[in-house]
């Protein structure tokens, strides 16, 4: 697993599900996955990892991304066996002739979008079995708080009250003065129809007979399967050591706290640098002022040859930057 991108780099967000590939792949093998659909591939870190695992085993892999970035298109060029579907999750599911046996969902992290995808999967399954379902972001910050890549895709009546270019932090149900930055996020955490885990739980209640495991690292990895599935016991045994593991929970809490602190510190440094730049600009203008030279001469006379300041002192300070 590469540590060269921001998806897996520990000093970045660690947003990619590739971070849990060593847990995910045994679950795929326990299920006997032969056809796999990934909804929300972004730059393709997990996609390429899945191809490396699945292609030698003959697993047919498709990925969904409505606006593929250059990194994902590069993955497609390197792997002609990969099918890229340029659509939303619901649109891609609607266009399928039949459901794959496994679906990984890591798209837009809000209740409306995920609920629509899950309901479409259930509709396509009909009276047949559901695929094995995997999810990202079932823990903080998306667990009980919606975020939106494109709010206009969600009907206003289905959107949470929004914060724009805002920050959020653990333990604060509202918007924080500093923390992880989001372009669009629900202004409040919790409540009905808010968050990824809420959408999954409500789907489980509607459908019945489902079991969810939560691996509490890298913002949370969820695995959902039908308890009556022939592979249910195998998947359950594979994921059991990690399901809501308290050591993992503490490690993730520490990781998130450090990540938030890093963003707060970075913002503080940016603000301080901005103030320094403003002071430097002001001092530079002062040096060009003839009035400053007059003031220097006056203080030199009054202080008997030892002025309170000199223009050279100001210039030396500016030259140190």
């Amino acid at each position: 697993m590469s540590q060269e991108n921001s998806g897996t780099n520990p000093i970045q967000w660690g947003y990619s599900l590739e971070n849990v590939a060593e847990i995910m792949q045994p679950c795929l093998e326990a299920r006997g996955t032969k056809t796999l659909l990934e909804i929300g591939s972004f730059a393709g870190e997990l996609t390429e990892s899945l191809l490396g695992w699945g292609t030698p085993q003959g697993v047919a892999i498709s990925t969904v991304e409505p606006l593929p970035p250059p990194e994902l298109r590069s993955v497609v060029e390197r792997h002609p066996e990969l099918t890229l579907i340029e659509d939303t999750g619901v649109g891609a599911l609607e266009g399928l002739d039949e459901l794959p046996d496994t679906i990984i969902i890591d798209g837009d992290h809000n209740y409306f979008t995920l609920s629509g995808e899950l309901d479409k999967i259930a509709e396509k399954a009909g009276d047949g079995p559901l695929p094995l379902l995997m999810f990202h972001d079932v823990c903080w910050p998306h667990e009980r708080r919606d975020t939106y890549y494109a709010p206009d895709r969600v009907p206003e009546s289905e959107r949470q009250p929004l914060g724009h270019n805002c920050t959020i932090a653990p333990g604060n149900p509202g918007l924080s003065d500093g923390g992880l930055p989001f372009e669009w996020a629900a202004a409040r955490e919790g409540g009905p129809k808010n968050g990824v885990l809420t959408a999954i739980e409500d789907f489980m209640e509607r459908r019945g007979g489902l079991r969810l495991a939560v691996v509490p690292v890298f913002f949370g990895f969820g695995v959902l399967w039908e308890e009556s599935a022939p592979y249910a016991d195998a998947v359950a045994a594979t994921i059991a050591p990690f399901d809501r593991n308290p050591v993992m929970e503490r490690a993730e809490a520490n990781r998130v706290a450090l990540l938030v602190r890093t963003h707060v510190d970075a913002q503080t440094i940016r603000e301080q640098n901005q103030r320094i730049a403003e002071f430097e600009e002001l001092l530079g203008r002062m040096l060009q002022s003839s009035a400053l030279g007059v003031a220097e001469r006056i203080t030199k006379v009054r202080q008997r040859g030892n002025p309170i300041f000199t223009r050279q002192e100001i210039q030396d300070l500016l030259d140190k930057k």
Side-chain angles (χ1 to χ4, degrees), residues 201-220:
E201 290 172 344
D202 287 354
F203 175 73
M204 293 176 69
E205 186 174 349
R206 291 194 299 273
R207 179 81 181 186
L210 300 176
R211 181 173 173 184
L212 174 69
V214 173
V215 182
V217 291
F218 294 104
F219 304 125

Side-chain angles (χ1 to χ4, degrees), residues 58-134:
V59 179
I61 298 175
S62 302
T63 192
V64 177
E65 186 62 44
L67 298 171
E71 297 90 340
L72 180 59
R73 293 199 182 279
S74 178
V75 174
V76 175
E77 290 175 2
R78 294 194 302 272
H79 296 276
E81 72 274 21
L82 173 66
T83 299
L84 172 62
I85 304 172
E86 297 185 38
D87 204 340
T88 63
V90 170
L93 290 164
E94 181 65 42
L96 295 178
D97 293 330
E98 60 181 68
L99 287 173
D101 58 49
T102 302
I103 300 177
I104 301 170
I105 303 179
D106 189 14
D108 205 0
H109 302 112
N110 59 75
Y111 183 96
F112 176 83
T113 300
L114 180 53
S115 294
E117 291 164 347
L118 290 172
D119 287 342
K120 181 57 66 175
I121 291 169
E123 176 189 321
K124 299 285 283 190
D127 295 332
L130 290 178
L132 174 67
L133 298 174
M134 295 180 169

Side-chain angles (χ1 to χ4, degrees), residues 66-293:
L67 298 171
E71 297 90 340
L72 180 59
R73 293 199 182 279
S74 178
V75 174
V76 175
E77 290 175 2
R78 294 194 302 272
H79 296 276
E81 72 274 21
L82 173 66
T83 299
L84 172 62
I85 304 172
E86 297 185 38
D87 204 340
T88 63
V90 170
L93 290 164
E94 181 65 42
L96 295 178
D97 293 330
E98 60 181 68
L99 287 173
D101 58 49
T102 302
I103 300 177
I104 301 170
I105 303 179
D106 189 14
D108 205 0
H109 302 112
N110 59 75
Y111 183 96
F112 176 83
T113 300
L114 180 53
S115 294
E117 291 164 347
L118 290 172
D119 287 342
K120 181 57 66 175
I121 291 169
E123 176 189 321
K124 299 285 283 190
D127 295 332
L130 290 178
L132 174 67
L133 298 174
M134 295 180 169
F135 308 89
H136 196 201
D137 297 290
V138 296
C139 296
W140 193 92
H142 301 291
E143 175 184 22
R144 306 294 181 190
R145 188 196 294 263
D146 281 356
T147 58
Y148 306 85
Y149 290 125
D152 290 345
R153 292 182 191 165
V154 179
E156 186 174 356
S157 61
E158 299 294 334
R159 289 198 305 258
Q160 295 289 328
L162 290 177
H164 183 46
N165 291 332
C166 56
T167 56
I168 62 177
N172 184 345
L175 303 178
S176 61
D177 292 333
L180 298 190
F182 286 90
E183 183 177 7
W184 297 101
R188 298 289 299 180
E189 182 180 79
K193 296 186 176 183
N194 197 6
V196 168
L197 186 59
T198 306
I200 295 170
E201 290 172 344
D202 287 354
F203 175 73
M204 293 176 69
E205 186 174 349
R206 291 194 299 273
R207 179 81 181 186
L210 300 176
R211 181 173 173 184
L212 174 69
V214 173
V215 182
V217 291
F218 294 104
F219 304 125
F221 169 51
V223 182
L224 183 69
W225 66 93
E226 291 186 322
E227 293 176 305
S228 60
Y231 56 82
D233 289 344
V235 170
T238 302
I239 201 71
F242 313 104
D243 186 11
R244 298 171 177 84
N245 184 293
V247 176
M248 287 182 163
E249 288 177 348
R250 289 193 293 273
E252 176 68 357
N254 288 342
R255 187 188 76 89
V256 167
L258 180 60
L259 184 60
V260 169
R261 178 60 184 269
T262 299
H263 277 275
V264 171
D265 289 348
Q267 178 61 30
T268 300
I269 291 171
R270 285 194 295 270
E271 292 172 355
Q272 290 175 342
N273 287 341
Q274 177 61 33
R275 293 191 66 187
I276 290 170
E278 292 169 357
F279 283 133
E280 289 176 343
E281 192 273 336
L282 174 60
L283 290 173
R285 285 192 286 115
M286 290 175 64
L287 282 175
Q288 304 305 314
S289 169
S290 59
L292 184 65

